[in-house]
Amino acid sequence: MANKSLEIRFLFPLVLFLVVKLLCVDGKGFNNNGHKIRKGRWEGKLKMNFYHNSCPGAEDIVRQIVWKKVEANRSLAPKLLRVHYHDCFVRGCDASLLLDSVAGKAVSEKEARPNLSLSGFEIIDEIKYILEKRCPNTVSCADILTLAARDAVSYEFERPLWNVFTGRVDGRVSLATEAARDLPSAGANFTTLQKLFAESDLDVVDLVALSGAHTIGIAHCGVFGRRLLNFTGKGDTDPSLNPSYASFLKSECSDKSLRLNPSAVVGMDPTGPLAFDSGYFVSLLKNKGLFTSDAALLTDPSAAHIASVFQNSGAFLAQFGRSMIKMSSIKVLTLGDQGGEIRKNCRLVN
């Protein structure tokens, strides 16, 4: 039995590879819709151990601080991961989300409605402060955020789950209007999600894998309340939602008067909000995806099939790492690119 389990464990990456190849690539650079697949815009711009000579030990410092913080408060892992997601989908991974608004200028991304519930910025500030003392004007806020997100998720495994390629510089522009326009919504359908991801060179496999980040963290009831109480505007519940799960959510989200309490929270993965595993996909295939955007994955045959493969934790974790490398390289700025700099303070342009 042990040998059989070991055999299955090593077989799943091969199965995943075949599924991904079948669904997305025909071997000549085309996807199943006949569209040419573009190479990542980051290709060749970033590298492993970028700070090996300019700031030795920089990545170790990030990991040590993040692991210490997550050990004390496990909820920081999904928070830092979410900040990284929200940064990369607007202007690319340039730390523009970290900028504060400045009086008399345009409102920054941080104050856009989808970003108001984000937290964990103080962790990035602390890391930046220490690295600036050690290696002034060297390590970008964008790289710190990318490393911190990886290390926050990796803490429970006591090893890095994926490689982080570094060498980013920080953007100087941050606009709330762009965040409102470009961030995937919890209420989005599959067509919208696929379009937003494709605009960042992310395919359907990446879409499904990165949605798996919902296996950790919590959500406010107000974000998905319409699915529970007023799905079509007639006081009804989304019929695609598992009835028992819908009842559970109503009990958790309602106050004593049985009206929705928008500030109440629930775990995004009903199997548990702290363990980074395939529980999200196990729940999703039982119609227990919390958001409309989760349930949307089941409306597309290819995405639904990929989700079924990701019920195996090994397959999910392997692909999640690959998709994170792609996502964290969206439209990156590097030394020499216009509009980039190494910020001294992650909240302010130099």
Side-chain angles (χ1 to χ4, degrees):
M1 180 63 73
N3 289 338
K4 187 172 183 62
S5 298
L6 189 63
E7 181 180 324
I8 292 173
R9 180 176 148 200
F10 283 99
L11 180 62
F12 254 96
L14 175 60
V15 173
L16 176 62
F17 170 79
L18 293 174
V19 168
V20 171
K21 187 174 179 64
L22 175 64
L23 292 175
C24 301
V25 183
D26 66 0
K28 298 180 181 179
F30 291 85
N31 64 15
N32 58 332
N33 293 317
H35 297 138
K36 186 70 177 176
I37 294 175
R38 294 173 291 170
K39 290 184 177 180
R41 299 168 186 157
W42 62 278
E43 195 167 289
K45 300 182 74 173
L46 304 176
K47 61 180 68 175
M48 289 286 293
N49 302 313
F50 179 83
Y51 299 106
H52 177 72
N53 294 319
S54 61
C55 191
E59 294 190 18
D60 291 334
I61 290 173
V62 175
R63 184 180 66 254
Q64 289 165 9
I65 294 174
V66 171
W67 281 18
K68 182 178 179 180
K69 298 292 185 180
V70 175
E71 180 181 29
N73 181 1
R74 293 289 297 276
S75 71
L76 282 175
K79 291 176 180 178
L80 289 171
L81 183 60
R82 189 175 175 223
V83 171
H84 182 43
Y85 269 54
H86 283 225
D87 178 53
C88 288
F89 273 92
V90 183
R91 289 188 166 265
C93 306
D94 65 347
S96 54
L97 174 58
L98 303 182
L99 288 169
D100 289 338
S101 295
V102 177
K105 296 186 177 181
V107 178
S108 72
E109 292 173 36
K110 193 180 289 184
E111 294 189 43
R113 185 175 180 180
N115 293 331
L116 293 177
S117 61
L118 295 179
S119 60
F121 299 108
E122 71 284 354
I123 309 300
I124 306 302
D125 291 337
E126 180 177 339
I127 295 170
K128 180 62 174 175
Y129 175 78
I130 292 172
L131 288 177
E132 276 298 305
K133 291 183 67 175
R134 182 177 179 129
C135 313
N137 307 315
T138 302
V139 184
S140 70
C141 300
D143 277 343
I144 291 172
L145 178 55
T146 306
L147 289 163
R150 188 273 308 273
D151 293 337
V153 174
S154 299
Y155 166 76
E156 66 175 282
F157 300 91
E158 300 182 342
R159 62 177 178 83
L161 287 182
W162 62 89
N163 293 324
V164 169
F165 294 81
T166 44
R168 299 165 188 78
V169 296
D170 305 318
R172 297 174 53 84
V173 177
S174 182
L175 301 171
T177 52
E178 293 183 343
R181 179 193 68 199
D182 297 337
L183 284 172
S185 165
N189 60 28
F190 184 80
T191 300
T192 300
L193 290 171
Q194 189 175 36
K195 179 178 180 294
L196 286 172
F197 274 66
E199 288 173 352
S200 296
D201 292 323
L202 299 173
D203 58 31
V204 64
V205 179
D206 301 315
L207 167 57
V208 179
L210 293 172
S211 295
H214 290 170
T215 195
I216 54 173
I218 60 175
H220 289 276
C221 294
V223 177
F224 55 89
R226 183 170 180 174
R227 290 191 77 194
L228 298 178
L229 302 180
N230 199 28
F231 184 63
T232 64
K234 299 178 181 180
D236 54 342
T237 300
D238 182 351
S240 71
L241 196 59
N242 181 292
S244 64
Y245 186 47
S247 296
F248 166 76
L249 292 175
K250 290 176 182 178
S251 68
E252 293 295 307
C253 291
S254 298
D255 58 24
K256 293 181 180 179
S257 64
L258 301 181
R259 298 180 65 181
L260 185 72
N261 179 3
S263 63
V265 296
V266 297
M268 289 191 286
D269 178 359
T271 69
L274 295 179
F276 199 87
D277 55 24
S278 61
Y280 165 82
F281 296 102
V282 174
S283 299
L284 179 65
L285 271 294
K286 296 178 181 177
N287 294 311
K288 294 182 179 181
L290 185 60
F291 304 128
T292 298
S293 59
D294 295 321
L297 300 180
L298 301 183
T299 65
D300 177 80
S302 296
H305 187 59
I306 296 168
S308 69
V309 173
F310 289 164
Q311 289 180 102
N312 174 269
S313 285
F316 164 55
L317 292 176
Q319 182 56 46
F320 185 80
R322 288 189 285 268
S323 295
M324 283 297 294
I325 291 173
K326 288 178 66 176
M327 188 200 77
S328 63
S329 305
I330 296 172
K331 303 176 188 174
V332 293
L333 297 171
T334 54
L335 289 173
D337 288 337
Q338 284 191 333
E341 64 180 12
I342 305 293
R343 281 184 226 141
K344 297 178 182 179
N345 180 334
C346 291
R347 294 174 180 265
L348 304 168
V349 297
N350 293 340

